[in-house]
Each structure stands twice: as structure tokens, then as C-alpha cells.
Amino acid sequence: MRTIWIAGVLLVLVATGFAGYTVFSAEEGSTTVSGAEISAPAEKKQKTKGNQNFHPSRISANDLKLMANAVYGEARGEPYEGQVAIAAVILNRVKSPSFPDTPSGVIFEPRAFTAVADGQIWLEPNESARKAVQNALNGMDPSGGCTYYFNPATATSQWIWTRPQVKKIGKHIFCR
């Protein structure tokens, strides 16, 4: 068993094999802990021309939940347009040959999302995050096709500043 302290919330991750793992999480500010079965991230597959088989209707319920968790962890408190843009970035990565071809693969790619690194991925998403994911799945993309974004006030990687910047929404800059 591995124990991790994050933002005053104890998260206990119990490994159950390669097919998945059980995650116990607590909503921010809560002392209630609940369990949820989450699949392990997909392996990165070599793609040549993007994910030709991608269609939003083929996204699993697990991936929908993970996307809402990622949007909530990355952009709660941001304008709704920014939350949709975060979901769109995840989908843009799924479609790109440079990234894994599933939302869970994209979200759990090492060093890709701060919310994964700091454990906020396991916070229960609100209705706004869920709606943002649905709007992105329905084709809304306020990012303009971007595959990266960052908060200039908190970014620690110099590399992200080298990416062509497309637009700013709330505190995030979206780039290619």
C-alpha cells in the first residue's frame, strides 16, 4: 500500500494488478473518503496520422469521468470557456499522432497535467466540469486546436514558453 499526502487529503492507492487500481479519494475540504475503480492508463501506441478511429461516441464512461476530473483539477475557478478549452486540449491530443490515443492515456502521460502530479485528479468534479467535457465532445474548441496550455504564474518549465501561443483564456495560455 502506498500513502500520499496531498493538500491535507490522505489518498490511499491500492494496486490490484495491470488491469487497473482502486483509488480512494476525498472531495476537497471533506473528510469523507470514497472508493472508485479506475482503469490503468493505456499504453502509448505509435500513430502515423493521428487517431483515425477516434470518435467521441467511442469514449468510455471511465474516460469521460477522468476528463471531468482533469478539467476540474486543472481549471476549477476558471471561466467556463477555459474549462471547455482544457477538455478540448485533451481531445486534440487524442487525435494527434504525438500523444496517446485515449483520454486516459493522454491524462496519465508523465508530466502532462499538474492535476495528476499533485493528486487533484481525484477530486470529485462539479457539474460545470462535466458539461465542459460534453461541450468539447460535441465539437466546441475555444482553444483553436491547441495541444498545450499553461498558467504563466505557476509554470516551471521553460520549454512551454517556446510553444507558439494562440490565445489566453482566464489564467491559461493555450499554445500549439
Side-chain angles (χ1 to χ4, degrees), residues 63-138:
D63 278 343
L64 287 172
K65 169 77 167 119
L66 285 171
M67 286 182 68
N69 285 27
V71 168
Y72 186 73
E74 294 280 323
R76 70 181 174 279
E78 288 294 304
Y80 181 72
E81 177 187 22
Q83 293 178 33
V84 177
I86 299 293
V89 164
I90 293 168
L91 294 174
N92 293 339
R93 288 183 180 193
V94 169
K95 296 173 196 174
S96 168
S98 301
F99 297 93
D101 59 3
T102 64
S104 58
V106 165
I107 291 165
F108 288 109
E109 190 169 32
R111 298 179 307 277
F113 292 93
T114 303
V116 172
D118 66 13
Q120 292 184 62
I121 190 73
W122 305 120
L123 295 174
E124 185 63 30
N126 60 12
E127 190 57 30
S128 181
R130 290 184 192 95
K131 284 172 119 176
V133 170
Q134 284 303 318
N135 277 324
L137 286 168
N138 289 334

Side-chain angles (χ1 to χ4, degrees), residues 6 11 24 33 104 124 138 143 161:
I6 298 173
L11 300 176
F24 295 91
V33 178
S104 58
E124 185 63 30
N138 289 334
S143 80
W161 289 95

